[in-house]
């Protein structure tokens, strides 16, 4: 099985992995509520009078989730012993298997997910404005505006927001957008005009699924393998049939 990553991407992957332990520790230093710009803190979870840095805790949780998910993929498919739970140990484990991971069908998603974990932790340590991702045209009939998904780092209300460039009122959570764009009525939110007929088949990349359901891409691939999701490939990426994804993950959708 040949490598799916170019040498530059493979080096970037290893470099990103090596950054995670330090970023994890740096975020840990902020858990006592260090005063930094644009950080969200909340009461509770620490000694009386000290705020708890929620953004730092969530960034650490993302790092652990990404690392454990991909380590689980390696352990399950290579049938090797699992690493110890420490972040540094899991990182070294993944680096030892970097060659195998670079040849895996999930190599591209692994690179993206590690990079996102690095960016999220860096945002907490040194905040910077979030960036959006284009997800197509507005789902409201006759609107025509472009939709942008923004991951609201350090926030969970909702973690991903879809907004329309033409009409500010056209704004949904990721799950509401999935329901609307698929032709179903949203569970909550303002009423919208009649929607256009849904496409016959919609295919989702591992990154789409990871973003919309808030799970690591490694977990996406495990679900896809265990549940035998229908798939297709294009431009070096793997896409999964929306019906199979919803059947498996619908009940666990992030609200």
């Amino acid at each position: 099985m040949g490598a799916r990553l170019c040498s530059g991407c493979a080096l970037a992957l290893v470099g990103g992995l090596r950054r995670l332990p330090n970023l994890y520790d740096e975020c840990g230093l902020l858990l006592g509520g260090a005063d930094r710009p644009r950080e969200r803190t909340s009461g509770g979870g620490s000694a009386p009078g000290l705020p708890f840095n929620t953004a730092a805790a969530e960034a650490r949780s993302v790092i652990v989730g990404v690392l454990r998910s991909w380590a689980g993929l390696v352990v399950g498919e290579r049938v090797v012993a699992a690493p110890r739970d420490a972040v540094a140990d899991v990182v070294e484990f993944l680096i030892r298997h970097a060659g195998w991971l670079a040849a895996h069908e999930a190599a591209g998603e692994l690179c993206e997910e590690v990079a996102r974990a690095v960016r999220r932790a860096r945002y907490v340590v040194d905040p910077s404005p979030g960036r959006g991702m284009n997800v197509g045209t507005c789902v409201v009939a006759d609107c025509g505006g472009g939709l942008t998904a923004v991951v609201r780092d350090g926030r969970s209300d909702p973690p991903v927001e879809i907004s329309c460039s033409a009409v500010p009122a056209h704004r949904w959570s990721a799950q509401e957008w999935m329901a609307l764009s698929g032709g179903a009525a949203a569970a909550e939110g303002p009423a919208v005009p009649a929607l256009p007929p849904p496409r016959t088949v919609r295919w989702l990349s591992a990154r789409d699924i990871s973003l919309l359901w808030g799970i690591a891409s490694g977990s996406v691939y495990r679900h896809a393998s265990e549940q035998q999701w229908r798939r297709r490939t294009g431009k070096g990426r793997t896409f999964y049939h929306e019906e199979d994804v919803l059947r498996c993950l619908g009940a666990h959708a992030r609200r």
Side-chain angles (χ1 to χ4, degrees):
M1 183 168 58
R4 294 173 182 259
L5 298 180
C6 67
S7 58
C9 291
L11 288 173
L13 170 61
V14 173
L17 286 169
R18 290 198 183 282
R19 298 185 66 180
L20 290 179
N22 286 337
L23 288 170
Y24 181 84
D25 291 340
E26 288 183 53
C27 288
L29 295 176
L30 301 177
L31 290 178
D35 185 16
R36 304 185 71 89
R38 293 198 296 274
E39 288 177 348
R40 181 171 67 90
T41 60
S42 63
S46 57
L50 290 178
F52 180 74
N53 192 312
T54 307
E58 290 174 350
R60 282 163 60 94
S61 177
V62 167
I63 290 172
V64 170
V66 168
L67 294 176
R68 287 182 176 174
S69 174
W70 290 99
L73 181 72
V74 174
V75 170
E77 295 194 12
R78 304 207 78 184
V79 193
V80 295
R84 290 181 293 183
D85 287 337
V87 166
D89 291 329
V90 181
V91 164
E92 289 304 316
F93 172 83
L94 291 174
I95 290 174
R96 287 199 304 271
H97 295 276
W100 180 84
L101 286 166
H104 195 278
E105 66 173 342
E109 282 73 15
L110 169 59
C111 287
E112 293 175 1
E113 192 161 316
V114 169
R116 287 200 299 271
V118 168
R119 287 195 300 270
R120 180 166 187 157
R122 286 185 62 191
Y123 175 88
V124 173
V125 174
D126 184 16
S128 59
R131 302 179 66 181
M133 179 180 69
N134 183 277
V135 293
T137 56
C138 187
V139 295
V140 177
D142 302 322
C143 176
L147 292 181
T148 300
V150 176
V151 179
R152 305 169 74 177
D153 289 338
R155 303 182 64 177
S156 57
D157 52 350
V160 179
E161 185 175 73
I162 313 295
S163 60
C164 175
S165 61
V167 183
H170 295 171
R171 186 180 300 269
W172 305 275
S173 71
Q175 293 306 318
E176 290 169 338
W177 170 69
M178 283 287 292
L180 287 168
S181 62
E188 299 178 352
V192 298
L195 300 173
R199 287 169 288 181
T200 302
V201 175
R202 181 162 56 182
W203 298 87
L204 304 174
S205 70
R207 180 180 180 182
D208 296 332
I209 299 166
S210 175
L211 174 68
L212 296 172
W213 273 267
I215 62 176
S217 292
S219 297
V220 173
Y221 277 91
R222 287 206 305 276
H223 283 304
S225 176
E226 293 171 358
Q227 303 297 324
Q228 297 183 338
W229 292 352
R230 286 165 287 181
R231 67 184 69 191
R232 72 177 186 184
T233 58
K235 298 182 180 179
R237 304 184 62 142
T238 302
F239 298 86
Y240 298 99
H241 200 293
E242 179 188 24
E243 290 182 1
D244 297 338
V245 177
L246 292 174
R247 187 179 301 112
C248 178
L249 300 178
H252 307 289
R254 202 174 184 180
R255 304 295 182 192

